[in-house]
Amino acid sequence: MNGQLFPNFIAGSWVTNNDAKANINPSDLNDTIGHYAQASGAQTNEAIECAATAFSKWRDTSPLVRFEALDKIGSEILARVDELGDMLSREEGKTLSEATAEAHRAGHLFKYFAAEAYRATGEMYQSLREGVSLNVLREPIGVIGVITPWNFPQAIPAWKIAPALAYGNTVVFKPAELVPGSAWLLSDIIARAGLPEGVFNLVMGTGAEVGEVIVSHPKVSGVTFTGSTPVGRKIGASLFARGAKMQLEMGGKNPLIILDDANLDLAVHCAIQGSFFSTGQRCTASSRLIVTDGIYENFVDRMSEAMKELRVGDARAPDTQIGPVASEAQLEINKSYVSQAEVDGATLASRSGQIDVKSPGYYFAPTLFTEVSPQSAIARDEIFGPIAAVFRVPDFDAALETANDADFGLSSGIVTQDAVKIDYFTRNAEAGMVQVNLPTAGMDFHAPFTGRKGSSYGAPEKGSLCREFFTAAKVVHKGRG
Ligand code: UN1
C-alpha cells in the first residue's frame, strides 16, 4: 500500500481496521494522498454509544470550557491554513486560493461558535398566574450525526461540528468518502483540543454502512446533513420515522437574472464566478442565467469571450482558475448532461477554457448552452458541474417567473441598477438567500444559510438561527412551594 494509513477516531482513541480506501488527487490520478480506514457498522455503533455516554457530562460543562476548546481548534486551523488548503485542493480539486480561503473560513467558524457558547440564553415570560415564574430554557439535544459532502470538505464540517459542540451536544462525524484527508486533518485538530472522551468521533466510510447506522441508531437525536436532494429525502424519511430531529441542506438550481440596465462587466463577472468557479460544484452555483432581450446578445457574446480566457488546470498550479471535476463519477454525470442537452435541442454557445495539463485528471471545460427548453434536464436538474444554461426572456416579470420555476429554492440572484425591481425581486424570489449584484455563491460565514422548496428542510445552518436545530426548548412553570 502506498502512503500512510489514517485511522478513525472513536471513543477517544485512534482506531484502524483492515479496510482502507485510497484518496486520489483528481488533478493527477498518479498521486495517492494516503489510505483512510473505513469504519465498520460495529465501530460506528461504538462511537455512538460512547458519544451518548459522554453527552451526560458534556451537556453540563461550563460555557467557558466549550469556548476554550472551540477557540483552540479555530486558532490551530488558522495557524495551519496553508497545509489545510493544500490538502483540500489536492484531494477535491478546488484551486489553491479557493481551498485556502475555505480553510480560513473553517477556522473562523470555530471562533464564531466558540463565542456562541456564551450566548446560549433562554427567555423569561411573565406568567399569567400570580406567583408563578415562567422560563424557556434551551438545552442540547444529545448525540448529533454530522454527514457532510465532498464539495466543501472543511467549511461545512466546521459549520456543523462547531455549533453542535458549542451548545453542549456530542458528535459522530461521517465525512464524504471522496475527501477523507480534510476530515482527518480537522479531526486531528479537534482531537487535540482536550475534549472529554467520546464528545467527538470520526467515522470515515460509506453511506450504506456508516451513514445507515448513524441515521437509524436510536441514540442519535438529530442528524445535520448536506448533500443531494434524493439522499437528503431518503435520510429524512428514516429520521422522521423514528422521531429524530433533522437539518437538511440539499440541492440548488440557482437563477441569476440579468436585466437590460445591468452593468455588463459585472453581469459577466457574476455569471462566470457563480457558474464555473469551484468547477461549478457548489449547491449555490448559478446554473440558470436568465437574461432580458435588450442585453441578451451582448451578454452571450461577452460571456463566451470571457470563457475562452478561463484557465483550467491542476488545482494547485499557481495560475489555475478552475480545477478538475472532483471524481470520475461526477465527470461522467457532466458529460451525460452535455449529450442530453444536445439531444434536447439546446445550442452549445461555448465550450471553452484553456486546458493545459500534463498529468491525467478529471478535466472538463466550462460549458454554456442557449436555446434551452424550460422542461429539459439541463434546465431543471442540479448537475453540480461547470455547465450553465442561458434563458432569453422579454422583461423583468418573465425573468422572475422563470427564476421561480424550479423545484429548488436556495440562492437567487439579480444584476440590475433598478432599486424598485431589486426590492420587488427580494420580496418575491422563492429562495432562502438573495444576492443582488453579486454571484449566487459565496456567502458570509457568520450569517444563516438556508433554502426553500427542495433545497432545505429544518432550521437554517450557521449564524444564530442554527440554534433551533442544535437545542430544544424546555418551558418551565414554577409555582410557590
Ligand atoms: C457558499 O456558496 O458560500 O454545498 C457555500 C454547498 C453549500 C455551501 C455553499 N452548502 O455548496
Side-chain angles (χ1 to χ4, degrees), residues 5 14 104 159 200 210 246 373 377 481:
L5 173 63
W14 291 101
H104 207 259
W159 80 53
F200 171 80
V210 173
M246 65 190 96
S373 149

Side-chain angles (χ1 to χ4, degrees), residues 370-392:
T370 54
E371 317 294 330
V372 176
S373 149
Q375 294 310 321
S376 64
I378 54 158
R380 305 209 71 87
D381 296 357
E382 177 176 54
I383 300 173
F384 227 60
I387 302 172
V390 192
F391 299 84
R392 182 177 195 143

Side-chain angles (χ1 to χ4, degrees), residues 126 133 328 376 408 420 451 468 481:
Q126 195 168 11
S133 75
E328 187 174 10
S376 64
F408 300 99
V420 174
E468 191 55 41

Side-chain angles (χ1 to χ4, degrees), residues 105 149 151-152 156 159 226 281-284 384 441-443 449 461:
R105 177 149 53 151
N151 66 327
F152 281 89
I156 292 179
W159 80 53
T226 298
Q281 298 173 149
R282 295 184 281 195
C283 58
T284 46
F384 227 60
M443 311 303 185
F449 188 95
E461 297 184 294

Side-chain angles (χ1 to χ4, degrees), residues 331-347:
L331 183 66
E332 291 309 318
I333 292 171
N334 295 353
K335 286 181 185 164
S336 78
Y337 271 107
V338 170
S339 317
Q340 187 60 44
E342 283 163 352
V343 171
D344 291 341
T347 302

Side-chain angles (χ1 to χ4, degrees), residues 120-188:
T121 52
E123 284 175 68
M124 194 191 79
Y125 287 71
Q126 195 168 11
S127 173
L128 303 178
R129 288 168 279 174
E130 213 173 294
V132 171
S133 75
L134 175 45
N135 296 298
V136 180
L137 314 178
R138 303 290 323 195
E139 297 182 331
I141 65 172
V143 179
I144 300 214
V146 171
I147 302 181
T148 55
W150 48 260
N151 66 327
F152 281 89
Q154 295 179 9
I156 292 179
W159 80 53
K160 292 177 186 293
I161 294 167
L165 298 175
Y167 293 120
N169 303 283
T170 57
V171 167
V172 176
F173 170 38
K174 183 210 137 3
E177 291 159 74
L178 208 55
V179 286
S182 289
W184 197 90
L185 282 177
L186 278 183
S187 298
D188 184 42

